[in-house]
Amino acid sequence: LTSRIEFLTQGGELNDGDAKLPPAGSGILGKTVRPDGLTITLGVGASLFDQRFGLAGKKPKHLQELKKFPNDRLQPEWCDGDISVQICAFTPETCQNALRDIIKNTAQLLTTRWSIDGFLPKTEPGTAARNLFGFRDGSANPNVQDPKIADEVLWTGVAANSLDEPAWAKNGSYQAVRLIRHFVEFWDRTPLQEQEAIFGREKYSGAPLGMKKEHDTPDYTRDPEGKTIPKDSHMRLANPRDPEFLKKHRLFRRPFNYSRGLAKNGQLDVGLVFICYQANLSDGFIFVQKLLDFEPLEEYISPFGGGYFFVLPGAEKGGFFGQGLLSG
């Protein structure tokens, strides 16, 4: 995996050998593979730490299989896995080429459990992309471009609430993935006022209700009864903005939209590939998701799959992903 990731992300020319053998690559990008902004994020699931490989004693402390929340309709064939591979690029053909390359070169070792294609609309600089409900998703993300904030939010073994992890896991991060279907036909018949109350934001500007700009910070102490931003709105439940929450429960969201055509009932099968990263899975996604149980938005969504994974620390030059996990 490490060698294929190095080639695909850096780009290069395919070198076919004997024409009687399969070609070096898929060919959908031509003979020269361009980097095209390609990133590949590699994680491991809880099942990798069973008895098959002798790794049980090295499992990250909070890594676990996906568990059902009250509104979930989890389908086992769309959940979990030994390894997660997230492929992102500027164009879908680059993602498709990378996926096929990895499948081809690991065919004797790995089989694909589930796969879903996601996409993001173009956005103006400094704004979050819109989800398929038409609302911006990720407006209050922590600024992980700041190394200090990244250390506090992302990196296991570095953040204050993640110092009790195995030594090999330092500078990794927990990845939570949720596949969430959106009932958009139902949503599109819902009054705008109700939609905005459910999210707690103005639909077009993305501003918190009663404010003007997307990144304005609401002060809930001035609205204790929720007359401006409802107390059961998505944004208020997910981030109450008190000091204890900001110190311990922040996470970095990187969601994508998906479309799988039509469902059997003739409705659009579309929704969100929700992905987030945090140094402590229990303090991060699991804690926050419990705050959202029974929120009004649940009437319009149905989570059906995903998984929890631990993103491996970066590989040193000449080394490979997971080297710390597999050595010693």
Side-chain angles (χ1 to χ4, degrees), residues 204-262:
Y204 301 112
S205 71
L209 295 178
M211 308 188 84
K212 295 182 178 180
K213 298 179 181 179
E214 177 185 352
H215 299 294
D216 286 347
T217 301
D219 182 355
Y220 296 140
T221 62
R222 296 185 177 183
D223 182 27
E225 297 180 5
K227 292 182 178 180
T228 302
I229 300 177
K231 295 177 72 173
D232 62 357
S233 65
H234 184 78
M235 69 168 290
R236 189 160 183 169
L237 288 173
N239 186 354
R241 297 179 185 274
D242 62 67
E244 178 61 25
F245 181 93
L246 295 174
K247 180 180 178 181
K248 191 174 180 181
H249 303 295
R250 286 183 296 172
L251 45 84
F252 178 72
R253 291 165 287 162
R254 196 169 180 231
F256 298 83
N257 300 318
Y258 81 81
S259 174
R260 299 193 296 169
L262 293 178

Side-chain angles (χ1 to χ4, degrees), residues 144-295:
V144 295
Q145 299 298 319
D146 182 332
K148 183 175 183 294
I149 295 176
D151 285 348
E152 294 170 352
V153 175
L154 294 179
W155 307 128
T156 296
V158 178
N161 62 344
S162 68
L163 300 179
D164 54 351
E165 294 281 0
W168 73 264
K170 186 174 182 179
N171 293 317
S173 189
Y174 284 95
Q175 178 193 61
V177 182
R178 292 259 285 175
L179 310 180
I180 307 171
R181 185 175 172 191
H182 288 178
F183 301 125
V184 292
E185 292 95 340
F186 181 26
W187 179 259
D188 290 343
R189 296 191 297 268
T190 300
L192 176 61
Q193 184 177 13
E194 185 176 343
Q195 290 186 3
E196 293 184 334
I198 287 171
F199 274 101
R201 290 185 177 273
E202 200 276 338
K203 187 165 190 175
Y204 301 112
S205 71
L209 295 178
M211 308 188 84
K212 295 182 178 180
K213 298 179 181 179
E214 177 185 352
H215 299 294
D216 286 347
T217 301
D219 182 355
Y220 296 140
T221 62
R222 296 185 177 183
D223 182 27
E225 297 180 5
K227 292 182 178 180
T228 302
I229 300 177
K231 295 177 72 173
D232 62 357
S233 65
H234 184 78
M235 69 168 290
R236 189 160 183 169
L237 288 173
N239 186 354
R241 297 179 185 274
D242 62 67
E244 178 61 25
F245 181 93
L246 295 174
K247 180 180 178 181
K248 191 174 180 181
H249 303 295
R250 286 183 296 172
L251 45 84
F252 178 72
R253 291 165 287 162
R254 196 169 180 231
F256 298 83
N257 300 318
Y258 81 81
S259 174
R260 299 193 296 169
L262 293 178
K264 291 181 179 179
N265 62 4
Q267 292 184 325
L268 294 172
D269 186 353
V270 301
L272 192 72
V273 182
F274 175 88
I275 305 174
C276 70
Y277 298 90
Q278 55 267 289
N280 183 316
L281 179 66
S282 297
D283 285 347
F285 173 78
I286 293 175
F287 179 89
V288 173
Q289 182 56 42
K290 287 179 179 178
L291 298 178
L292 295 171
D293 285 347
F294 309 109
E295 65 169 328

Side-chain angles (χ1 to χ4, degrees), residues 98-142:
L99 176 62
R100 286 171 57 179
D101 183 287
I102 288 173
I103 289 174
K104 174 184 175 181
N105 285 283
T106 60
Q108 294 180 328
L109 301 169
L110 302 173
T111 57
T112 306
R113 181 174 175 86
W114 55 269
S115 176
I116 194 166
D117 291 342
F119 63 92
L120 283 177
K122 290 183 178 179
T123 59
E124 298 154 4
T127 63
R130 295 186 186 277
N131 59 34
L132 295 182
F133 285 147
F135 282 77
R136 298 195 182 278
D137 203 320
S139 297
N141 251 346

